Amino acid sequence: TAKRNGRNHCQRFRPALDVQDSPQLGLVSELRHALATGGQLELHYQPQYRLDDDSMAGLEALLRWRHPRDGMISPGDFIPLAERHGLMAALGNYVIDQALAQLAHWRGQGMPEVPVWINISAMQLFQGDLEAALATGLARHGLPAGRLGLELTESVLLDERAGDVAPRLEALRDRGHPVAIDDFGTGYSSLGYLKHLPLDKLKLDRAFVHALPDDQADAAIVVAVLAMAKGLGLQVVAEGVETPAQADFLRAAGCELVQGFLYARPLTVEALEAHWQARSSAGPHAGSARGVPE
Ligand code: C2E
Ligand code: MG
Ligand code: MG
Ligand code: MG
């Protein structure tokens, strides 16, 4: 890693050369430190629900950085930084291990045995050994691959640096990992990949959900995506469901799964366990979980 640390050393000895970037480099070394010590990085979990019976179908693990000075930093801010500075493989491996450790911890505690879905960045496909990290983690925690779903965006599939994604994805799915396309519909890619890639789910981007049910164009797109997915044998998860009217439209249109603030925000482990208990004692129609302020 001597080479990767090189830019940091430049910052220390010649700060004036990179004024624009130096606050970021400070954050990069703090992120490196957070990764090494582990304590500041945590996964929050957002439940996905079935629209037909309101049961919980899965959890998405979303990374958070509890920065000692700056407070909670969202992944939209530090993941691009990790990608630019060679930390994404390590960060990705941390997420894999944390999610599996959490699943192992929940085992036998009466939690629904639903899969946890993690987000995979393009960098993980070409920087690190994703396959090995997954296999090692599953073995260490004694879990089957079916419990850990992988979410990839269309842009990951298009990223040339990630090499030929299809055979690697196929190998991961053959081992039992469910695979989803995240932010579906925003990647400007040809639909042809849907024919060739081994997939289980499409996650309809919240951009198409936001203006439902009134926006005619979005309504038409959603109906068309649902019909296409059905024909291809893929499940659809609608992302960013915030209102009952959106949920009603999606249910009527035949969408199977939903995720969004209407049901639950991404929750700390503690808040999720409380949400779980409230639902199991009050029945599945219990109210939504507000989660932690972000
Ligand atoms: P994503 O995978 O598409 O995750 C969904 C994002 O939508 C999350 O933002 C979530 O908090 C937010 N969200 C969920 N429901 C609603 C809703 O009803 N309304 C609105 N407005 N937003 C909603 P978050 O947690 O800030 O994550 C942003 C992105 O960062 C994720 O998008 C994902 O691409 C990336 N990310 C998060 N964790 C990881 C990780 O562990 N690894 C990688 N590679 N990327 C991650
Ligand atoms: Mg995702
Ligand atoms: Mg998404
Ligand atoms: Mg996204």
Side-chain angles (χ1 to χ4, degrees):
T1 59
K3 207 175 159 198
R4 282 177 193 159
N5 287 332
R7 293 200 67 194
N8 251 342
H9 293 153
C10 284
Q11 182 217 8
R12 205 181 302 151
F13 297 120
R14 305 190 315 208
L17 287 184
D18 212 356
V19 178
Q20 280 288 352
D21 214 25
S22 53
Q24 288 226 316
L25 283 179
L27 207 56
V28 171
S29 60
E30 285 168 352
L31 182 56
R32 198 171 275 128
H33 173 76
L35 258 171
T37 56
Q40 297 168 24
L41 297 166
E42 55 191 76
L43 289 178
H44 288 196
Y45 295 88
Q46 187 178 34
Q48 295 171 358
Y49 292 100
R50 247 178 260 291
L51 271 172
D52 57 1
D53 64 1
D54 278 345
S55 63
M56 193 179 293
L59 295 165
E60 178 173 8
L62 294 157
L63 192 57
R64 301 287 182 262
W65 180 8
R66 214 181 270 276
H67 191 280
R69 183 189 63 239
D70 300 343
M72 202 69 96
I73 305 182
S74 78
D77 293 326
F78 67 86
I79 282 181
L81 209 62
E83 293 194 322
R84 276 204 302 281
H85 294 273
L87 295 174
M88 196 56 227
L91 202 56
N93 289 348
Y94 177 83
V95 168
I96 290 169
D97 195 63
Q98 282 295 298
L100 290 170
Q102 190 59 61
L103 276 171
H105 177 77
W106 279 329
R107 188 173 34 203
Q109 296 205 348
M111 308 292 189
E113 303 231 324
V114 295
V116 165
W117 294 80
I118 57 172
N119 293 283
I120 301 292
S121 102
M123 294 279 173
Q124 287 175 269
L125 288 172
F126 73 93
Q127 267 188 353
D129 194 347
L130 177 64
E131 291 83 349
L134 290 167
T136 308
L138 291 169
R140 181 185 311 136
H141 298 289
L143 288 159
R147 292 297 297 282
L148 194 68
L150 310 175
E151 296 191 2
L152 296 94
T153 61
E154 288 175 323
S155 58
V156 171
L157 307 179
L158 292 172
D159 196 318
E160 290 161 6
R161 297 167 303 175
D164 202 349
V165 181
R168 298 185 61 187
L169 222 49
E170 209 158 331
L172 290 170
R173 195 162 171 268
D174 283 348
R175 286 208 214 140
H177 290 286
V179 175
I181 295 299
D182 205 353
D183 304 342
F184 181 76
T186 61
Y188 303 103
S189 59
S190 133
L191 289 174
Y193 77 85
L194 293 176
K195 203 169 126 183
H196 303 297
L197 283 183
L199 299 171
D200 300 281
K201 276 184 189 176
L202 300 181
K203 297 193 76 179
L204 183 67
D205 194 77
R206 68 170 183 263
F208 303 109
V209 173
H210 182 74
L212 294 179
D214 301 326
D215 190 291
Q216 298 280 304
D218 287 336
I221 290 168
V222 169
V223 167
V225 168
L226 288 166
M228 179 186 72
K230 192 172 181 192
L232 292 168
L234 301 172
Q235 283 189 309
V236 174
V237 186
E239 299 192 276
V241 180
E242 295 181 351
T243 70
Q246 291 166 350
D248 290 343
F249 179 91
L250 290 162
R251 188 183 296 105
C255 181
E256 234 176 298
L257 302 162
V258 282
Q259 185 179 342
F261 295 170
L262 175 64
Y263 302 93
R265 288 183 174 264
L267 303 166
T268 61
V269 169
E270 208 180 23
L272 177 66
E273 288 171 354
H275 175 61
W276 240 320
Q277 262 143 33
R279 279 178 70 95
S280 55
S281 51
H285 296 274
S288 65
R290 298 257 162 257
V292 289
E294 291 189 49

